[in-house]
Amino acid sequence: MARKKILSSVALGAAAMLVLSGCATGGSGGGGEAGGEPQSGGTLKVLANGDVDRLDPQLTAYVPVNSVVRSLSRSILSYETSNDVDERIALTGDIAEEVPTASEDGLTYEIKIRDGVTWDAPDGARPIVAGDVARGIERICNPHIGAALGGYFISLIDGMSEYCEGFAKVPAEAAAMKEYVESNDIKGIATPDDQTVVFTLVEPASDFTSMLSLPTANPAPIEVLEYLPDSPEYRSNFVSSGPYKVASYTPDVKWEFVRNESWKADSDPLRKANVDKIQMTMGVEGDAAMQQLQAGSADMLFDLSPSPANIQQLQAANDKKFTTMENGGIDQFMWFNTATTNNDSALQKLEVRQAIQYAIDKQAVVQVMGGEDIASVTNGIFGPGINGYEEFSLYGDKSGKADPEKAKELLKAAGVENLTLKFPYRNVGTQPDIAQTIQSSLEAAGITVELFPVPPTDYYANFMTNRENASTGEWDVALVGWSPDWVGGAARSVFQPQFTFDGTPQSYNYVDFNNDKANELADQALAAATPEEAGKLWHEVDKTVMEDSPIVSIVSRKKANYHSDRVQDFAIYALAQNGDWTNVWLKQ
């Protein structure tokens, strides 16, 4: 069947980056409960290993950067800070007065901008208006640096794909891009007055409002058109709308944010902005960061999490400042390369892929990753925390226990002997141990595994996303991870970029996997009238994909967080999957 536009092929490149950060999206939390009334003042000291991927809200897709964006930039919709899993994934208004409901045909959404939201513009505070919202969406497909998560919007908003086709022909120069944005409109975005934005979609999408919580959809001030997106000039002239603004920045060394005097507390129901300053120091290694937090010389983590060894120590000490939350995605799953002719094209046989499903000892992988308190067995494409996730298993029981005899039986039935698999792995953290654990369980089923390391910086960017490596048989099976791009109703952001193919290759669908029945079910889920109906349909998508056995789903990892003793009211901001910088306060 012809694929609907809603599932059109887009290389959502940064989504895989999310997993590398150890991100998460749901689950349990706590710790840092206040012993009194919140206090204003002080400097929140955040430790980071690396820098932001992008400061430009439209362009970022790296989960930790959502903490930065939350501090500097207001979104259309967003989430309350909470340690309750249901509360923190419930959409609410940010610059919008409320979450809009779809028109009767499911195609139109009207946003009303609340009073008092402002830009910290160079010539003084200025209201955020409907044209700023339209400009933010228009910048998504700029020809200099396209938005990593922009494909969702491009395929969905009426006329946006045509707008982006025209934008692609414009020189990647600030002046030319400014002229295009100011001279062209997206058909499906109307701004009848300064307080109103009307979105028209090409077809119903039950998750569109969730997309409006992404920084990708944030309003953009007129000043951004003077600079190349996310260029040094853009960063040094960043116009804030959140409670903080950039005071100084040394790349890969330090960020400092200070209070934005143009921000009005009574216009912002989501951010209390208790601290005076936020300092993010980069280049810190994990163990050193944990030592500083425990000593009280720093407060929170950016792109770092406690290691398995740290976690064991914190749990043994019953340290209440250590918390975990569900991932929402699958941290470890294994793709089958069905594009290769290695082993006489054995992996193109369903029975062979099913045999490997039974062979892998998922319980052993859980232990390598830190045990059941930090990781859990998975058997589908969705992880806990996504609407559509249900526990099930098409191959063996739900426990993830290996069945090497069943694997041998299936291999024999498929007429496959002496199966030898090329298995790359990232040479970082626990990845070598995980790869060796899987190698051991496969060998117990009579399968030979040839492990070879790939530098972590090259693994996705140069090895897995190089399609020739699949077609020429450079790998047979490979471990990857995936985290959803938003929270709650985020099944599309797992399914669309990885498990659909309409003739145009996607970066993270490594072998052009496609299943027409799953696509039809996904279309029904996106048009569903209620979350409950959508969830049931997405679960059917999950089972339908797994019947084809394109991957072995292995483990989801909970996100581990830790903070210093002086941090109070540590509660989770869902998109950052960390404590909310804009709501914690510091015990003096």
Side-chain angles (χ1 to χ4, degrees):
M1 61 173 276
R3 295 297 303 120
K4 286 189 175 182
K5 189 175 182 182
I6 193 69
L7 292 176
S8 66
S9 176
V10 181
L12 303 176
M17 291 176 59
L18 307 182
V19 173
L20 303 183
S21 68
C23 67
T25 50
S28 61
E33 293 301 321
E37 289 298 315
Q39 301 172 14
S40 295
T43 298
L44 180 70
K45 298 178 180 179
V46 180
L47 300 180
N49 180 259
D51 206 335
V52 301
D53 65 330
R54 306 289 180 196
L55 182 65
D56 192 329
Q58 258 76 56
L59 308 184
T60 184
Y62 187 37
V63 164
V65 178
N66 286 307
S67 291
V68 174
V69 176
R70 174 84 156 186
S71 305
L72 302 177
S73 180
R74 301 282 295 270
S75 302
I76 298 174
L77 302 176
S78 193
Y79 306 92
E80 297 273 3
T81 297
S82 179
N83 285 325
D84 179 272
V85 64
D86 294 320
E87 289 179 359
R88 69 167 171 250
I89 64 172
L91 275 171
T92 189
D94 191 345
I95 72 159
E97 292 178 350
E98 60 185 2
V99 179
T101 55
S103 58
E104 188 173 345
D105 63 5
L107 298 180
T108 303
Y109 292 82
E110 182 176 286
I111 301 289
K112 287 291 185 180
I113 299 175
R114 70 172 74 242
D115 292 332
V117 293
T118 60
W119 296 113
D120 185 41
D123 55 355
R126 182 181 72 238
I128 295 176
V129 297
D132 299 325
V133 175
R135 186 181 301 111
I137 302 295
E138 290 165 355
R139 295 182 70 244
I140 283 174
C141 55
N142 76 84
H144 177 60
I145 304 174
L149 305 183
Y152 300 120
F153 298 89
I154 295 168
S155 65
L156 186 56
I157 297 174
D158 188 20
M160 190 166 177
S161 61
E162 292 82 2
Y163 176 92
C164 292
E165 287 172 6
F167 212 168
K169 300 173 184 176
V170 173
E173 302 168 355
M177 290 190 291
K178 177 181 179 181
E179 180 179 359
Y180 184 84
V181 170
E182 293 186 333
S183 303
N184 295 273
D185 298 315
I186 296 172
K187 178 183 177 182
I189 304 177
T191 55
D193 58 60
D194 281 351
Q195 300 297 114
T196 308
V197 184
V198 181
F199 291 99
T200 301
L201 311 183
V202 297
E203 62 185 23
S206 58
D207 54 4
F208 179 65
T209 50
S210 295
M211 294 182 204
L212 295 180
S213 71
L214 294 173
T216 308
N218 280 18
I222 187 67
E223 288 83 1
V224 301
L225 300 182
E226 301 299 325
Y227 317 106
L228 288 173
D230 204 48
S231 62
E233 293 77 18
Y234 171 95
R235 292 189 177 194
S236 63
N237 291 279
F238 187 87
V239 179
S240 177
S241 58
Y244 300 95
K245 62 183 180 181
V246 178
S248 64
Y249 170 50
T250 304
D252 299 312
V253 178
K254 181 174 285 188
W255 284 98
E256 183 173 82
F257 309 136
V258 297
R259 289 192 182 278
N260 170 14
E261 299 301 332
S262 299
W263 173 78
K264 299 176 182 178
D266 59 4
S267 79
D268 192 338
L270 301 178
R271 304 163 182 82
K272 296 186 177 79
N274 292 309
V275 301
D276 287 336
K277 295 181 181 180
I278 302 170
Q279 289 181 349
M280 189 172 92
T281 302
M282 295 167 268
V284 184
E285 298 297 329
D287 288 342
M290 289 296 295
Q291 291 170 9
Q292 290 187 53
L293 264 59
Q294 291 178 312
S297 56
D299 299 306
M300 291 176 63
L301 302 173
F302 172 67
D303 57 352
L304 296 163
S305 290
S307 68
N310 294 146
I311 290 169
Q312 290 180 357
Q313 295 169 357
L314 296 170
Q315 289 175 326
N318 195 28
D319 193 325
K320 301 300 183 183
K321 300 184 294 298
F322 168 72
T323 60
T324 62
M325 56 186 294
E326 296 287 0
N327 189 305
I330 308 299
D331 185 81
Q332 297 290 311
F333 62 94
M334 189 170 73
W335 270 97
F336 293 116
N337 182 3
T338 54
T340 178
T341 58
N342 291 350
N343 296 289
D344 294 324
S345 303
L347 289 179
Q348 296 177 21
K349 297 181 178 181
L350 177 61
E351 296 87 353
V352 173
R353 301 196 301 274
Q354 291 174 331
I356 294 172
Q357 297 273 5
Y358 285 99
I360 292 179
D361 187 347
K362 300 179 185 182
Q363 293 179 348
V365 177
V366 167
Q367 294 307 311
V368 170
M369 294 175 66
E372 295 181 359
D373 290 334
I374 200 69
S376 58
V377 167
T378 56
N379 296 294
I381 68 172
F382 301 134
I386 288 184
N387 185 28
Y389 169 79
E390 292 183 29
E391 290 190 9
F392 77 104
S393 177
L394 299 183
Y395 309 103
D397 62 32
K398 299 175 185 177
S399 73
K401 181 180 179 180
D403 187 346
E405 296 308 313
K406 177 68 173 180
K408 292 177 182 177
E409 176 186 321
L410 286 167
L411 289 173
K412 183 177 180 180
V416 173
E417 298 178 349
N418 302 317
L419 185 62
T420 299
L421 301 177
K422 298 178 183 178
F423 188 165
Y425 65 92
R426 283 180 285 148
N427 192 19
V428 64
T430 58
Q431 289 297 302
D433 294 333
I434 293 170
Q436 290 167 16
T437 299
I438 292 173
Q439 177 188 41
S440 177
S441 58
L442 290 175
E443 290 182 342
I447 301 169
T448 300
V449 176
E450 298 176 352
L451 291 175
F452 62 95
V454 177
T457 53
D458 290 336
Y459 190 76
Y460 286 106
N462 299 317
F463 187 83
M464 290 303 299
T465 55
N466 182 340
R467 305 184 72 79
E468 289 187 4
N469 287 337
S471 61
T472 60
E474 295 299 312
W475 62 276
D476 295 305
V477 294
L479 288 175
V480 297
W482 195 268
S483 228
D485 292 321
W486 53 89
V487 299
R492 177 213 297 264
S493 74
V494 175
F495 175 70
Q496 177 176 338
Q498 298 184 100
F499 301 105
T500 66
F501 177 66
D502 66 355
T504 302
Q506 302 203 83
S507 294
Y508 298 102
N509 184 345
Y510 305 104
V511 295
D512 297 336
F513 173 83
N514 192 64
N515 181 297
D516 287 342
K517 180 183 176 182
N519 295 337
E520 292 173 0
L521 289 165
D523 289 338
Q524 294 173 31
L526 291 169
T530 66
E532 292 76 18
E533 180 186 353
K536 291 178 181 178
L537 287 162
W538 281 120
H539 179 56
E540 292 302 313
V541 171
D542 197 348
K543 291 194 296 183
T544 301
V545 170
M546 291 307 298
E547 286 171 358
D548 277 346
S549 189
I551 65 166
V552 181
S553 180
I554 303 174
V555 172
S556 69
R557 188 204 309 256
K558 294 180 181 179
K559 170 68 188 301
N561 288 313
Y562 191 70
H563 59 85
S564 74
D565 184 61
R566 72 174 192 149
V567 172
Q568 305 296 302
D569 283 350
F570 182 94
I572 299 298
Y573 168 47
L575 286 185
Q577 294 135 25
N578 204 339
D580 187 353
W581 298 358
T582 69
N583 279 305
V584 298
W585 58 276
L586 301 175
K587 183 170 60 178
Q588 305 298 325

